[in-house]
Amino acid sequence: MISSTCETLTFTVRRKDPELISPSKPTPHELKFLSDIDERLRFHTPVIQFYRNNGNDDNIVIECRTSDPVDVIRKAIADALVFYYPFAGRVRETPYGGKLVVECIGEGVMFIEADADIRLDQFICMDALKPPFPCSDELLYIAPGSGDVINCPLLLIQVTRLLCGGFILALRLNHVISDAQGLHQLMVAIGEIARGSGSPSVLPVWKRELLNSHEPLSIPNRDYDLVHESRIVSLPFDQNQRVQHTFFFGQQEMTSIKKLLPPHLRTCSDFEILTACLWKCRTTAFNLDSKEDVRLFYTVNGRGKDRLNLPVGFYGNALFYGMAFSTAEKLCKNPLGYTLDLVIESKKKLLNTETVGDGNATMKKKMFRSWIAFMTNYALAGSHYFVTDATRARLAEVDYGWGKAVYGGIMKANSLPNPEERCFYIPFENSKGEYGILVPLSFPLECMKKFVIEVGMMAIQPPGRGCNQSQTFKKLIASAL
């Protein structure tokens, strides 16, 4: 039993001992090799879902509402693992250059049953449920001996009942076996089985050999962990005073940003426009030396006929890395259109196989080249901004029988080292029914103050006559801190 206090929110979480959930039927005992892309992602990712007791969705299965969510989900996991049995295995490191394999032994995923003496509505800050969530470490307990990538459960799931009858499902994913969209596919399968289906509507496909390079990636082993190892970062402010804040960008905010662009750039995608806006605002807020190199890294999903043409059901890592670069002075002094052009050109270079200089490069070759470029440049000095686009992994839409989640996405902005360099794009519907993108960020205090003002000047409609713009920004800063 752990008592937790987060500012004014205090609650107690009572957990049972961790257990292992194995597939409900016998599954193959075999070795499955991971892809060259899987190999590069040796870290864990935590996500969380919040569910009400009684939604208004007519499609909710009534039997599930009156059942114990812990029992329903526990059984559904066991049944889903019959199809997704590699998740019940363990990652092993082979003597062949440290190559990783999954040993499918049916040992199971780790599961924790818990109860908390708190209601769902107590988690809601302002007008929406969004990260950072108080006392998240108690909602996803990392059992001793389960935290390594090798020889440990690939999934850790904790289901916590709430006083209101709702519940929270938090999980930690070993990233080597799946990306966010692959995880979404698994969670949808668990939800379908929890609601009475005998099998998933989309059957899983392993096929990791499709994403193996036939040429060495010419990156030494020490760079495997660059994605999540701490870099030495020089910042002008005290990093110990780091704060978290989550920004929402809906139609109104995106319209305001587009007004700052020349007409021919206003039709660009929301991802491109938002990424350019936040990269520019962050660079300005961090008050960098004018000559310092600034680099943008962003993930691109490789699924789809126009990309890697992977089979339906593939749930491995299928990520490209795009990269754009400039200097702090150019990014800060030029208009937003300059930054957006950098993003657009980098994306064209990444996805267009007919780009001059690429010859007959296939999309698969370009994916591996993007990884080499990413790992090479991420190791260099300079200010880096890393965007993970998780808008296709709609975890809030997963239904275990209690309707859609109130929130589904990452737990907090600082779950990985160097959080001031990272951000996630999460699909979100706010309390007004507006759809948009949620962006949790973790910056040093002084950087966050400046960042809020920079974003406010771009994303907020100018106040009407008689309004005080400085007061508007003061309210923004207060809400962020």
Side-chain angles (χ1 to χ4, degrees), residues 409-439:
I410 66 168
M411 298 182 71
K412 50 189 177 181
N414 60 355
S415 59
L416 293 174
N418 301 122
E420 67 280 342
E421 295 185 342
R422 305 172 187 272
C423 82
F424 293 82
Y425 292 172
I426 304 168
F428 189 73
E429 180 184 2
N430 67 13
S431 59
K432 300 176 183 178
E434 299 170 333
Y435 288 92
I437 298 174
L438 211 60
V439 185

PDB file of all heavy atoms in Angstrom, residues 409-439:
ATOM      1  N   GLY A 409      -2.795   8.050 -23.932  1.00  0.00           N
ATOM      2  CA  GLY A 409      -1.542   8.567 -24.488  1.00  0.00           C
ATOM      3  C   GLY A 409      -0.420   8.443 -23.481  1.00  0.00           C
ATOM      4  O   GLY A 409      -0.503   7.675 -22.518  1.00  0.00           O
ATOM      5  N   ILE A 410       0.638   9.216 -23.676  1.00  0.00           N
ATOM      6  CA  ILE A 410       1.775   9.146 -22.768  1.00  0.00           C
ATOM      7  C   ILE A 410       1.382   9.667 -21.386  1.00  0.00           C
ATOM      8  O   ILE A 410       0.454  10.460 -21.237  1.00  0.00           O
ATOM      9  CB  ILE A 410       2.997   9.919 -23.302  1.00  0.00           C
ATOM     10  CG1 ILE A 410       2.703  11.427 -23.345  1.00  0.00           C
ATOM     11  CG2 ILE A 410       3.416   9.409 -24.657  1.00  0.00           C
ATOM     12  CD1 ILE A 410       3.955  12.247 -23.572  1.00  0.00           C
ATOM     13  N   MET A 411       2.109   9.208 -20.365  1.00  0.00           N
ATOM     14  CA  MET A 411       1.796   9.579 -18.991  1.00  0.00           C
ATOM     15  C   MET A 411       2.344  10.945 -18.621  1.00  0.00           C
ATOM     16  O   MET A 411       1.734  11.700 -17.873  1.00  0.00           O
ATOM     17  CB  MET A 411       2.348   8.534 -18.021  1.00  0.00           C
ATOM     18  CG  MET A 411       1.755   7.154 -18.206  1.00  0.00           C
ATOM     19  SD  MET A 411       2.378   5.958 -17.009  1.00  0.00           S
ATOM     20  CE  MET A 411       1.589   6.539 -15.508  1.00  0.00           C
ATOM     21  N   LYS A 412       3.543  11.260 -19.125  1.00  0.00           N
ATOM     22  CA  LYS A 412       4.191  12.517 -18.760  1.00  0.00           C
ATOM     23  C   LYS A 412       5.220  12.872 -19.814  1.00  0.00           C
ATOM     24  O   LYS A 412       5.642  12.027 -20.609  1.00  0.00           O
ATOM     25  CB  LYS A 412       4.845  12.410 -17.383  1.00  0.00           C
ATOM     26  CG  LYS A 412       5.739  11.199 -17.194  1.00  0.00           C
ATOM     27  CD  LYS A 412       6.177  11.055 -15.751  1.00  0.00           C
ATOM     28  CE  LYS A 412       7.011   9.786 -15.552  1.00  0.00           C
ATOM     29  NZ  LYS A 412       7.423   9.607 -14.145  1.00  0.00           N
ATOM     30  N   ALA A 413       5.641  14.133 -19.787  1.00  0.00           N
ATOM     31  CA  ALA A 413       6.556  14.616 -20.818  1.00  0.00           C
ATOM     32  C   ALA A 413       8.006  14.267 -20.527  1.00  0.00           C
ATOM     33  O   ALA A 413       8.852  14.373 -21.405  1.00  0.00           O
ATOM     34  CB  ALA A 413       6.412  16.130 -20.959  1.00  0.00           C
ATOM     35  N   ASN A 414       8.313  13.867 -19.310  1.00  0.00           N
ATOM     36  CA  ASN A 414       9.711  13.637 -18.946  1.00  0.00           C
ATOM     37  C   ASN A 414       9.995  12.165 -18.657  1.00  0.00           C
ATOM     38  O   ASN A 414      10.754  11.844 -17.749  1.00  0.00           O
ATOM     39  CB  ASN A 414      10.095  14.494 -17.732  1.00  0.00           C
ATOM     40  CG  ASN A 414       9.260  14.183 -16.504  1.00  0.00           C
ATOM     41  OD1 ASN A 414       8.325  13.395 -16.578  1.00  0.00           O
ATOM     42  ND2 ASN A 414       9.598  14.790 -15.376  1.00  0.00           N
ATOM     43  N   SER A 415       9.384  11.270 -19.416  1.00  0.00           N
ATOM     44  CA  SER A 415       9.594   9.843 -19.195  1.00  0.00           C
ATOM     45  C   SER A 415      10.905   9.339 -19.798  1.00  0.00           C
ATOM     46  O   SER A 415      11.325   8.219 -19.531  1.00  0.00           O
ATOM     47  CB  SER A 415       8.424   9.029 -19.762  1.00  0.00           C
ATOM     48  OG  SER A 415       8.274   9.274 -21.147  1.00  0.00           O
ATOM     49  N   LEU A 416      11.567  10.160 -20.640  1.00  0.00           N
ATOM     50  CA  LEU A 416      12.849   9.806 -21.228  1.00  0.00           C
ATOM     51  C   LEU A 416      13.884  10.862 -20.867  1.00  0.00           C
ATOM     52  O   LEU A 416      13.537  12.002 -20.528  1.00  0.00           O
ATOM     53  CB  LEU A 416      12.725   9.700 -22.755  1.00  0.00           C
ATOM     54  CG  LEU A 416      11.866   8.554 -23.303  1.00  0.00           C
ATOM     55  CD1 LEU A 416      11.734   8.692 -24.810  1.00  0.00           C
ATOM     56  CD2 LEU A 416      12.453   7.206 -22.941  1.00  0.00           C
ATOM     57  N   PRO A 417      15.191  10.522 -20.934  1.00  0.00           N
ATOM     58  CA  PRO A 417      16.230  11.517 -20.651  1.00  0.00           C
ATOM     59  C   PRO A 417      16.140  12.707 -21.598  1.00  0.00           C
ATOM     60  O   PRO A 417      15.569  12.620 -22.684  1.00  0.00           O
ATOM     61  CB  PRO A 417      17.528  10.728 -20.858  1.00  0.00           C
ATOM     62  CG  PRO A 417      17.157   9.302 -20.659  1.00  0.00           C
ATOM     63  CD  PRO A 417      15.750   9.181 -21.173  1.00  0.00           C
ATOM     64  N   ASN A 418      16.738  13.831 -21.169  1.00  0.00           N
ATOM     65  CA  ASN A 418      16.720  15.071 -21.948  1.00  0.00           C
ATOM     66  C   ASN A 418      15.311  15.451 -22.395  1.00  0.00           C
ATOM     67  O   ASN A 418      15.052  15.672 -23.587  1.00  0.00           O
ATOM     68  CB  ASN A 418      17.636  14.959 -23.164  1.00  0.00           C
ATOM     69  CG  ASN A 418      19.086  14.667 -22.814  1.00  0.00           C
ATOM     70  OD1 ASN A 418      19.652  13.676 -23.257  1.00  0.00           O
ATOM     71  ND2 ASN A 418      19.685  15.504 -21.997  1.00  0.00           N
ATOM     72  N   PRO A 419      14.362  15.546 -21.466  1.00  0.00           N
ATOM     73  CA  PRO A 419      12.981  15.844 -21.874  1.00  0.00           C
ATOM     74  C   PRO A 419      12.822  17.200 -22.534  1.00  0.00           C
ATOM     75  O   PRO A 419      11.863  17.410 -23.276  1.00  0.00           O
ATOM     76  CB  PRO A 419      12.204  15.769 -20.548  1.00  0.00           C
ATOM     77  CG  PRO A 419      13.224  16.037 -19.495  1.00  0.00           C
ATOM     78  CD  PRO A 419      14.497  15.427 -20.001  1.00  0.00           C
ATOM     79  N   GLU A 420      13.754  18.130 -22.270  1.00  0.00           N
ATOM     80  CA  GLU A 420      13.644  19.446 -22.903  1.00  0.00           C
ATOM     81  C   GLU A 420      13.849  19.374 -24.415  1.00  0.00           C
ATOM     82  O   GLU A 420      13.583  20.326 -25.136  1.00  0.00           O
ATOM     83  CB  GLU A 420      14.664  20.426 -22.281  1.00  0.00           C
ATOM     84  CG  GLU A 420      16.122  20.112 -22.546  1.00  0.00           C
ATOM     85  CD  GLU A 420      16.671  19.022 -21.637  1.00  0.00           C
ATOM     86  OE1 GLU A 420      16.046  18.745 -20.580  1.00  0.00           O
ATOM     87  OE2 GLU A 420      17.707  18.442 -21.978  1.00  0.00           O
ATOM     88  N   GLU A 421      14.314  18.225 -24.907  1.00  0.00           N
ATOM     89  CA  GLU A 421      14.527  18.061 -26.346  1.00  0.00           C
ATOM     90  C   GLU A 421      13.380  17.334 -27.030  1.00  0.00           C
ATOM     91  O   GLU A 421      13.377  17.191 -28.251  1.00  0.00           O
ATOM     92  CB  GLU A 421      15.817  17.257 -26.599  1.00  0.00           C
ATOM     93  CG  GLU A 421      17.091  17.947 -26.154  1.00  0.00           C
ATOM     94  CD  GLU A 421      18.321  17.161 -26.546  1.00  0.00           C
ATOM     95  OE1 GLU A 421      18.191  15.955 -26.840  1.00  0.00           O
ATOM     96  OE2 GLU A 421      19.400  17.753 -26.576  1.00  0.00           O
ATOM     97  N   ARG A 422      12.406  16.844 -26.286  1.00  0.00           N
ATOM     98  CA  ARG A 422      11.434  15.907 -26.847  1.00  0.00           C
ATOM     99  C   ARG A 422       9.995  16.415 -26.721  1.00  0.00           C
ATOM    100  O   ARG A 422       9.653  17.116 -25.767  1.00  0.00           O
ATOM    101  CB  ARG A 422      11.545  14.550 -26.136  1.00  0.00           C
ATOM    102  CG  ARG A 422      12.939  13.968 -26.166  1.00  0.00           C
ATOM    103  CD  ARG A 422      13.026  12.729 -25.288  1.00  0.00           C
ATOM    104  NE  ARG A 422      14.392  12.242 -25.174  1.00  0.00           N
ATOM    105  CZ  ARG A 422      14.962  11.393 -26.012  1.00  0.00           C
ATOM    106  NH1 ARG A 422      14.283  10.928 -27.034  1.00  0.00           N
ATOM    107  NH2 ARG A 422      16.212  10.995 -25.847  1.00  0.00           N
ATOM    108  N   CYS A 423       9.176  16.009 -27.663  1.00  0.00           N
ATOM    109  CA  CYS A 423       7.748  16.245 -27.511  1.00  0.00           C
ATOM    110  C   CYS A 423       6.982  15.161 -28.266  1.00  0.00           C
ATOM    111  O   CYS A 423       7.508  14.515 -29.174  1.00  0.00           O
ATOM    112  CB  CYS A 423       7.347  17.637 -27.980  1.00  0.00           C
ATOM    113  SG  CYS A 423       7.109  17.799 -29.745  1.00  0.00           S
ATOM    114  N   PHE A 424       5.730  14.960 -27.868  1.00  0.00           N
ATOM    115  CA  PHE A 424       4.849  13.971 -28.481  1.00  0.00           C
ATOM    116  C   PHE A 424       3.601  14.674 -28.973  1.00  0.00           C
ATOM    117  O   PHE A 424       3.081  15.579 -28.322  1.00  0.00           O
ATOM    118  CB  PHE A 424       4.450  12.890 -27.466  1.00  0.00           C
ATOM    119  CG  PHE A 424       5.581  12.008 -27.021  1.00  0.00           C
ATOM    120  CD1 PHE A 424       6.458  12.417 -26.032  1.00  0.00           C
ATOM    121  CD2 PHE A 424       5.770  10.760 -27.589  1.00  0.00           C
ATOM    122  CE1 PHE A 424       7.506  11.616 -25.608  1.00  0.00           C
ATOM    123  CE2 PHE A 424       6.812   9.944 -27.185  1.00  0.00           C
ATOM    124  CZ  PHE A 424       7.677  10.371 -26.191  1.00  0.00           C
ATOM    125  N   TYR A 425       3.095  14.245 -30.128  1.00  0.00           N
ATOM    126  CA  TYR A 425       1.812  14.723 -30.631  1.00  0.00           C
ATOM    127  C   TYR A 425       0.774  13.631 -30.361  1.00  0.00           C
ATOM    128  O   TYR A 425       0.915  12.508 -30.845  1.00  0.00           O
ATOM    129  CB  TYR A 425       1.865  14.992 -32.129  1.00  0.00           C
ATOM    130  CG  TYR A 425       2.740  16.163 -32.535  1.00  0.00           C
ATOM    131  CD1 TYR A 425       3.002  16.421 -33.886  1.00  0.00           C
ATOM    132  CD2 TYR A 425       3.306  17.034 -31.595  1.00  0.00           C
ATOM    133  CE1 TYR A 425       3.790  17.484 -34.280  1.00  0.00           C
ATOM    134  CE2 TYR A 425       4.090  18.093 -31.975  1.00  0.00           C
ATOM    135  CZ  TYR A 425       4.341  18.318 -33.323  1.00  0.00           C
ATOM    136  OH  TYR A 425       5.131  19.373 -33.717  1.00  0.00           O
ATOM    137  N   ILE A 426      -0.264  13.988 -29.588  1.00  0.00           N
ATOM    138  CA  ILE A 426      -1.275  13.022 -29.182  1.00  0.00           C
ATOM    139  C   ILE A 426      -2.637  13.480 -29.702  1.00  0.00           C
ATOM    140  O   ILE A 426      -3.025  14.641 -29.478  1.00  0.00           O
ATOM    141  CB  ILE A 426      -1.326  12.911 -27.645  1.00  0.00           C
ATOM    142  CG1 ILE A 426       0.055  12.542 -27.090  1.00  0.00           C
ATOM    143  CG2 ILE A 426      -2.373  11.890 -27.203  1.00  0.00           C
ATOM    144  CD1 ILE A 426       0.150  12.689 -25.587  1.00  0.00           C
ATOM    145  N   PRO A 427      -3.394  12.620 -30.375  1.00  0.00           N
ATOM    146  CA  PRO A 427      -4.745  13.015 -30.808  1.00  0.00           C
ATOM    147  C   PRO A 427      -5.631  13.203 -29.584  1.00  0.00           C
ATOM    148  O   PRO A 427      -5.570  12.419 -28.634  1.00  0.00           O
ATOM    149  CB  PRO A 427      -5.196  11.825 -31.656  1.00  0.00           C
ATOM    150  CG  PRO A 427      -4.406  10.657 -31.156  1.00  0.00           C
ATOM    151  CD  PRO A 427      -3.073  11.220 -30.723  1.00  0.00           C
ATOM    152  N   PHE A 428      -6.460  14.238 -29.592  1.00  0.00           N
ATOM    153  CA  PHE A 428      -7.194  14.580 -28.368  1.00  0.00           C
ATOM    154  C   PHE A 428      -8.495  15.294 -28.699  1.00  0.00           C
ATOM    155  O   PHE A 428      -8.574  16.078 -29.645  1.00  0.00           O
ATOM    156  CB  PHE A 428      -6.317  15.489 -27.496  1.00  0.00           C
ATOM    157  CG  PHE A 428      -6.860  15.746 -26.112  1.00  0.00           C
ATOM    158  CD1 PHE A 428      -6.827  14.759 -25.144  1.00  0.00           C
ATOM    159  CD2 PHE A 428      -7.397  16.982 -25.786  1.00  0.00           C
ATOM    160  CE1 PHE A 428      -7.314  14.993 -23.872  1.00  0.00           C
ATOM    161  CE2 PHE A 428      -7.892  17.233 -24.511  1.00  0.00           C
ATOM    162  CZ  PHE A 428      -7.855  16.233 -23.550  1.00  0.00           C
ATOM    163  N   GLU A 429      -9.510  15.008 -27.902  1.00  0.00           N
ATOM    164  CA  GLU A 429     -10.791  15.727 -27.958  1.00  0.00           C
ATOM    165  C   GLU A 429     -10.994  16.411 -26.616  1.00  0.00           C
ATOM    166  O   GLU A 429     -11.039  15.748 -25.575  1.00  0.00           O
ATOM    167  CB  GLU A 429     -11.944  14.775 -28.245  1.00  0.00           C
ATOM    168  CG  GLU A 429     -13.301  15.462 -28.309  1.00  0.00           C
ATOM    169  CD  GLU A 429     -14.450  14.492 -28.509  1.00  0.00           C
ATOM    170  OE1 GLU A 429     -14.192  13.270 -28.553  1.00  0.00           O
ATOM    171  OE2 GLU A 429     -15.612  14.957 -28.589  1.00  0.00           O
ATOM    172  N   ASN A 430     -11.102  17.737 -26.610  1.00  0.00           N
ATOM    173  CA  ASN A 430     -11.247  18.445 -25.338  1.00  0.00           C
ATOM    174  C   ASN A 430     -12.692  18.420 -24.855  1.00  0.00           C
ATOM    175  O   ASN A 430     -13.571  17.825 -25.480  1.00  0.00           O
ATOM    176  CB  ASN A 430     -10.706  19.880 -25.442  1.00  0.00           C
ATOM    177  CG  ASN A 430     -11.531  20.759 -26.380  1.00  0.00           C
ATOM    178  OD1 ASN A 430     -12.642  20.404 -26.781  1.00  0.00           O
ATOM    179  ND2 ASN A 430     -10.986  21.902 -26.737  1.00  0.00           N
ATOM    180  N   SER A 431     -12.936  19.063 -23.717  1.00  0.00           N
ATOM    181  CA  SER A 431     -14.254  19.007 -23.089  1.00  0.00           C
ATOM    182  C   SER A 431     -15.338  19.694 -23.926  1.00  0.00           C
ATOM    183  O   SER A 431     -16.525  19.479 -23.702  1.00  0.00           O
ATOM    184  CB  SER A 431     -14.188  19.663 -21.700  1.00  0.00           C
ATOM    185  OG  SER A 431     -13.774  21.022 -21.805  1.00  0.00           O
ATOM    186  N   LYS A 432     -14.922  20.522 -24.893  1.00  0.00           N
ATOM    187  CA  LYS A 432     -15.882  21.205 -25.765  1.00  0.00           C
ATOM    188  C   LYS A 432     -16.191  20.397 -27.021  1.00  0.00           C
ATOM    189  O   LYS A 432     -16.933  20.866 -27.889  1.00  0.00           O
ATOM    190  CB  LYS A 432     -15.331  22.580 -26.160  1.00  0.00           C
ATOM    191  CG  LYS A 432     -15.070  23.499 -24.976  1.00  0.00           C
ATOM    192  CD  LYS A 432     -14.437  24.800 -25.438  1.00  0.00           C
ATOM    193  CE  LYS A 432     -14.106  25.714 -24.258  1.00  0.00           C
ATOM    194  NZ  LYS A 432     -13.440  26.976 -24.705  1.00  0.00           N
ATOM    195  N   GLY A 433     -15.603  19.203 -27.118  1.00  0.00           N
ATOM    196  CA  GLY A 433     -15.818  18.380 -28.298  1.00  0.00           C
ATOM    197  C   GLY A 433     -14.950  18.766 -29.474  1.00  0.00           C
ATOM    198  O   GLY A 433     -15.190  18.323 -30.603  1.00  0.00           O
ATOM    199  N   GLU A 434     -13.933  19.590 -29.229  1.00  0.00           N
ATOM    200  CA  GLU A 434     -13.027  20.016 -30.301  1.00  0.00           C
ATOM    201  C   GLU A 434     -11.877  19.017 -30.432  1.00  0.00           C
ATOM    202  O   GLU A 434     -11.273  18.631 -29.439  1.00  0.00           O
ATOM    203  CB  GLU A 434     -12.461  21.407 -29.986  1.00  0.00           C
ATOM    204  CG  GLU A 434     -13.508  22.494 -29.862  1.00  0.00           C
ATOM    205  CD  GLU A 434     -12.934  23.794 -29.321  1.00  0.00           C
ATOM    206  OE1 GLU A 434     -11.929  23.750 -28.579  1.00  0.00           O
ATOM    207  OE2 GLU A 434     -13.503  24.855 -29.638  1.00  0.00           O
ATOM    208  N   TYR A 435     -11.603  18.619 -31.671  1.00  0.00           N
ATOM    209  CA  TYR A 435     -10.504  17.697 -31.931  1.00  0.00           C
ATOM    210  C   TYR A 435      -9.238  18.485 -32.251  1.00  0.00           C
ATOM    211  O   TYR A 435      -9.287  19.524 -32.895  1.00  0.00           O
ATOM    212  CB  TYR A 435     -10.844  16.764 -33.094  1.00  0.00           C
ATOM    213  CG  TYR A 435     -11.883  15.726 -32.742  1.00  0.00           C
ATOM    214  CD1 TYR A 435     -13.238  15.973 -32.953  1.00  0.00           C
ATOM    215  CD2 TYR A 435     -11.513  14.503 -32.182  1.00  0.00           C
ATOM    216  CE1 TYR A 435     -14.206  15.031 -32.625  1.00  0.00           C
ATOM    217  CE2 TYR A 435     -12.470  13.555 -31.856  1.00  0.00           C
ATOM    218  CZ  TYR A 435     -13.809  13.821 -32.080  1.00  0.00           C
ATOM    219  OH  TYR A 435     -14.762  12.890 -31.747  1.00  0.00           O
ATOM    220  N   GLY A 436      -8.132  17.950 -31.796  1.00  0.00           N
ATOM    221  CA  GLY A 436      -6.871  18.615 -32.055  1.00  0.00           C
ATOM    222  C   GLY A 436      -5.706  17.747 -31.624  1.00  0.00           C
ATOM    223  O   GLY A 436      -5.821  16.529 -31.485  1.00  0.00           O
ATOM    224  N   ILE A 437      -4.569  18.396 -31.421  1.00  0.00           N
ATOM    225  CA  ILE A 437      -3.342  17.708 -31.030  1.00  0.00           C
ATOM    226  C   ILE A 437      -2.898  18.215 -29.673  1.00  0.00           C
ATOM    227  O   ILE A 437      -2.825  19.425 -29.439  1.00  0.00           O
ATOM    228  CB  ILE A 437      -2.226  17.944 -32.072  1.00  0.00           C
ATOM    229  CG1 ILE A 437      -2.644  17.365 -33.421  1.00  0.00           C
ATOM    230  CG2 ILE A 437      -0.902  17.328 -31.618  1.00  0.00           C
ATOM    231  CD1 ILE A 437      -1.663  17.684 -34.548  1.00  0.00           C
ATOM    232  N   LEU A 438      -2.620  17.274 -28.786  1.00  0.00           N
ATOM    233  CA  LEU A 438      -2.123  17.588 -27.450  1.00  0.00           C
ATOM    234  C   LEU A 438      -0.605  17.437 -27.464  1.00  0.00           C
ATOM    235  O   LEU A 438      -0.080  16.436 -27.984  1.00  0.00           O
ATOM    236  CB  LEU A 438      -2.741  16.629 -26.440  1.00  0.00           C
ATOM    237  CG  LEU A 438      -2.985  17.118 -25.007  1.00  0.00           C
ATOM    238  CD1 LEU A 438      -3.928  18.307 -25.004  1.00  0.00           C
ATOM    239  CD2 LEU A 438      -3.554  15.987 -24.166  1.00  0.00           C
ATOM    240  N   VAL A 439       0.104  18.418 -26.906  1.00  0.00           N
ATOM    241  CA  VAL A 439       1.569  18.394 -26.910  1.00  0.00           C
ATOM    242  C   VAL A 439       2.093  18.601 -25.488  1.00  0.00           C
ATOM    243  O   VAL A 439       2.168  19.728 -25.014  1.00  0.00           O
ATOM    244  CB  VAL A 439       2.146  19.481 -27.842  1.00  0.00           C
ATOM    245  CG1 VAL A 439       3.673  19.363 -27.917  1.00  0.00           C
ATOM    246  CG2 VAL A 439       1.544  19.386 -29.230  1.00  0.00           C
TER     247      VAL A 439
END
